[in-house]
Amino acid sequence: MAACGGNTDGQDSILEPLCFPEQTADGTIAPSLQRPSSDLLVCLFCPESVPLQQKDSLLKHLLLEHKLVIADVKLIADLPKYMLYWRGRFLEQPVTDFCSVIKTNSTGPVEKQQDYFLLCDVLPEDRILRERLQQKRLEEVLEQQQKERDDNSFHRLCMFCSDEFTGNRSSLLNHMAREHSFSIGLPDNIVYCNQFLDALQNKLDNLQCLYCEKTFRDKTTLKDHMRKKAHRRINASNREYDRFYVINYLELGKSWEEVQSEDDRELVEDDDDDWSDWQAHPVSAVCLFCDHQSETMDQIYTHLKEFHSFDLHKLRTDLNLRFYQQVKLVNFIRRQIHQSRCYGCQEKFDSRDDVLHHIAAEGHAMQLPDISTWNQPQYYFPTYENDALLCTLSDSDEDESADTDHGEDVPVIAEDISNLRALKQTSVLNQLLKNRNSSS
């Protein structure tokens, strides 16, 4: 997701939720399916403009200068046209006619409250605009694909041998699949084929494995590695390749994985399916302060206590935090650390390492600001959208009930034994014994 770094004036400059890198990822970011273009992006309210490649700077400008956030920017098929459309509409009518208003610091003093505006596809007009841009983009992609299918001027060398191919692109793709066990998919599923092959060739020229994307010292070592490890395939988790597959353009805001999963759900369920061999992928949680990841929550909580002197369970108990208060606290701390600011004393630093050193040296790990600082509506929204730590927060005290003896808290009412003889005669046990003796 799009995000900007901290800024010098101390304002919050995160535009959309951040995203932790997956454990197996190489750190590459997911590219947009927007058309590569040199078009300028224009501000919706003022003359400010930037090239499309610098869209994050304009999004930051919109947030800081005009208090406006555009939701799901990466899903907009043609961002320059989208911006021009809304610029015209905002000249005709006030922004409040179109955008949701979010008030920050809603429980604080009026002078500290600010209104932010959210432009998203909940608004029917915005949804229709996004769909039209998506449809136009799809038409262009299908037209491009048809041109490539009909093009007989294709000329290229195989990436793995010296064979030369002319005519239709399918001859090269089929050759690599058949002779080198390297397949990037059926030719009819691929668009911008030359750009795709250029990207793959560039990796090989840079001595980089196409699958694990590790770099090697020479071509011989790289070829041996790809052959022995069976790495003659592309890395499916590399989002750079999404724009080369037609399926990614078919539905608004959906990748091929989502489209495919929807198709799977439409299959008839079989009650006899055996799920005994199914294994879930472990959820990896990330430390609040550093890049440490653990596959169990116990490990991450232990790491927080041992390495950062931070005890989330103790804070929950001491402050009697409910579930959503814990959510807001975690998102608040994440936001402050991301912006290199100590959440305890609000001092700003140049880097995350500096603020972590400060927190450890000053013992600020368990020092929280007043609850009104972080118990705000904006912290309902995750700072990192795949923050597994949020999924483990306790919403009740049931998890502690097994380890806690509540017997002392429950009043025990003594039985009245002042008339013991009468009690024996009228007891249920005595009646059961009488009935048993009489039946026998």
Side-chain angles (χ1 to χ4, degrees):
M1 301 296 283
C4 293
N7 59 78
T8 56
D9 58 8
Q11 297 187 56
D12 194 338
S13 59
I14 295 179
L15 307 182
E16 298 181 42
L18 305 169
C19 190
F20 288 122
E22 302 292 338
Q23 276 188 306
T24 57
D26 65 345
T28 58
I29 60 175
S32 170
L33 295 182
Q34 296 167 3
R35 180 195 302 106
S37 170
S38 58
D39 293 342
L40 287 179
L41 292 178
V42 295
C43 177
L44 304 180
F45 303 98
C46 70
E48 182 79 13
S49 64
V50 299
L52 178 59
Q53 293 80 0
Q54 299 176 20
K55 65 178 173 49
D56 282 353
S57 64
L58 186 64
L59 297 176
K60 180 178 179 179
H61 165 80
L62 284 171
L63 175 69
L64 300 182
E65 299 299 329
H66 305 292
K67 312 299 182 190
L68 183 131
V69 176
I70 300 175
D72 298 320
V73 174
K74 67 183 180 65
L75 302 181
I76 301 174
D78 194 329
L79 189 57
K81 289 183 179 179
Y82 178 90
M83 302 286 278
L84 285 173
Y85 176 88
W86 281 115
R87 179 180 173 85
R89 294 294 281 133
F90 289 160
L91 290 175
E92 299 170 351
Q93 295 175 237
V95 65
T96 50
D97 288 355
F98 306 102
C99 297
S100 303
V101 180
I102 302 173
K103 188 180 293 294
T104 61
N105 200 25
S106 57
T107 59
V110 176
E111 60 273 12
K112 291 188 177 182
Q113 295 180 5
Q114 289 185 318
D115 287 342
Y116 284 80
F117 305 99
L118 177 65
L119 182 59
C120 64
D121 60 3
V122 173
L123 178 70
E125 183 176 352
D126 186 271
R127 177 72 181 182
I128 292 172
L129 174 61
R130 292 178 186 234
E131 289 176 346
R132 287 176 179 172
L133 294 174
Q134 175 75 11
Q135 182 64 29
K136 179 66 174 176
R137 181 70 176 123
L138 177 59
E139 292 172 0
E140 293 173 354
V141 166
L142 294 178
E143 182 180 352
Q144 172 66 24
Q145 187 201 37
Q146 188 61 46
K147 288 181 180 178
E148 294 179 13
R149 293 171 67 180
D150 298 337
D151 181 22
N152 289 319
S153 63
F154 182 86
H155 179 267
R156 203 174 189 100
L157 291 174
C158 174
M159 292 188 293
F160 302 103
C161 66
S162 58
D163 288 357
E164 186 176 358
F165 295 86
T166 58
N168 194 278
R169 60 183 184 159
S170 61
S171 58
L172 171 59
L173 299 182
N174 292 334
H175 163 81
M176 291 193 298
R178 182 177 59 254
E179 301 298 331
H180 304 290
S181 300
F182 178 79
S183 175
I184 58 176
L186 297 175
D188 286 347
N189 295 336
I190 294 172
V191 68
Y192 305 117
C193 185
N194 273 322
Q195 296 179 31
F196 196 178
L197 295 174
D198 285 343
L200 298 176
Q201 185 65 57
N202 185 57
K203 285 185 178 292
L204 293 177
D205 291 344
N206 290 322
L207 305 179
Q208 193 173 15
C209 173
L210 297 178
Y211 179 69
C212 68
E213 302 186 334
K214 293 180 180 178
T215 302
F216 294 84
R217 65 177 180 269
D218 53 52
K219 287 187 177 181
T220 302
T221 307
L222 171 61
K223 289 181 179 179
D224 288 344
H225 162 81
M226 294 180 66
R227 177 178 55 82
K228 293 178 181 178
K229 296 291 185 180
H231 280 191
R232 284 193 172 178
R233 48 192 168 132
I234 65 172
N235 183 356
S237 63
N238 189 334
R239 302 268 72 95
E240 289 181 14
Y241 305 133
D242 284 356
R243 63 182 301 264
F244 302 120
Y245 292 92
V246 175
I247 193 172
N248 285 302
Y249 300 92
L250 296 183
E251 291 196 50
L252 179 64
K254 293 182 180 178
S255 66
W256 67 269
E257 294 101 328
E258 293 168 307
V259 174
Q260 191 175 57
S261 66
E262 288 181 352
D263 293 341
D264 291 343
R265 288 197 294 270
E266 293 175 0
L267 299 176
V268 178
E269 293 185 1
D270 186 355
D271 294 336
D272 296 331
D273 284 346
D274 182 11
W275 292 77
S276 59
D277 59 346
W278 181 81
Q279 293 182 347
H281 295 288
V283 177
S284 183
V286 182
C287 172
L288 276 172
F289 303 96
C290 66
D291 295 328
H292 174 79
Q293 298 187 33
S294 296
E295 293 183 355
T296 70
M297 293 306 109
D298 288 341
Q299 291 175 352
I300 204 69
Y301 285 128
T302 300
H303 169 84
L304 284 168
K305 290 175 66 175
E306 292 182 353
F307 289 89
H308 304 289
S309 302
F310 183 85
D311 191 339
L312 185 58
H313 289 317
K314 186 176 188 302
L315 285 175
R316 188 194 69 174
T317 303
D318 292 348
L319 300 178
N320 193 25
L321 299 179
R322 298 184 299 276
F323 173 74
Y324 286 109
Q325 289 177 316
Q326 298 174 61
V327 168
K328 288 187 279 190
L329 178 59
V330 168
N331 290 329
F332 168 76
I333 294 176
R334 292 273 196 214
R335 185 74 58 96
Q336 301 301 299
I337 297 299
H338 171 77
Q339 295 175 333
S340 302
R341 184 183 293 112
C342 174
Y343 56 85
C345 66
Q346 295 297 295
E347 185 176 350
K348 187 76 169 62
F349 295 86
D350 293 331
S351 67
R352 185 175 68 168
D353 289 341
D354 290 342
V355 72
L356 294 182
H357 177 76
H358 162 83
I359 291 174
E362 300 296 329
H364 285 184
M366 295 290 284
Q367 177 180 311
L368 297 181
D370 187 79
I371 190 171
S372 62
T373 303
W374 55 267
N375 192 24
Q376 295 292 328
Q378 62 262 37
Y379 297 117
Y380 278 125
F381 304 98
T383 300
Y384 294 88
E385 63 176 3
N386 58 340
D387 192 350
L389 190 61
L390 296 175
C391 303
T392 69
L393 300 176
S394 174
D395 57 357
S396 70
D397 292 329
E398 292 179 359
D399 56 338
E400 297 179 353
S401 60
D403 300 325
T404 306
D405 184 5
H406 294 292
E408 297 178 357
D409 301 326
V410 180
V412 178
I413 303 176
E415 186 176 16
D416 182 7
I417 58 174
S418 58
N419 191 342
L420 191 57
R421 183 175 181 181
L423 182 65
K424 289 180 178 180
Q425 292 176 348
T426 58
S427 69
V428 175
L429 179 59
N430 190 43
Q431 292 297 326
L432 290 173
L433 291 173
K434 285 183 179 180
N435 294 339
R436 180 180 179 183
N437 292 333
S438 61
S439 62
S440 59

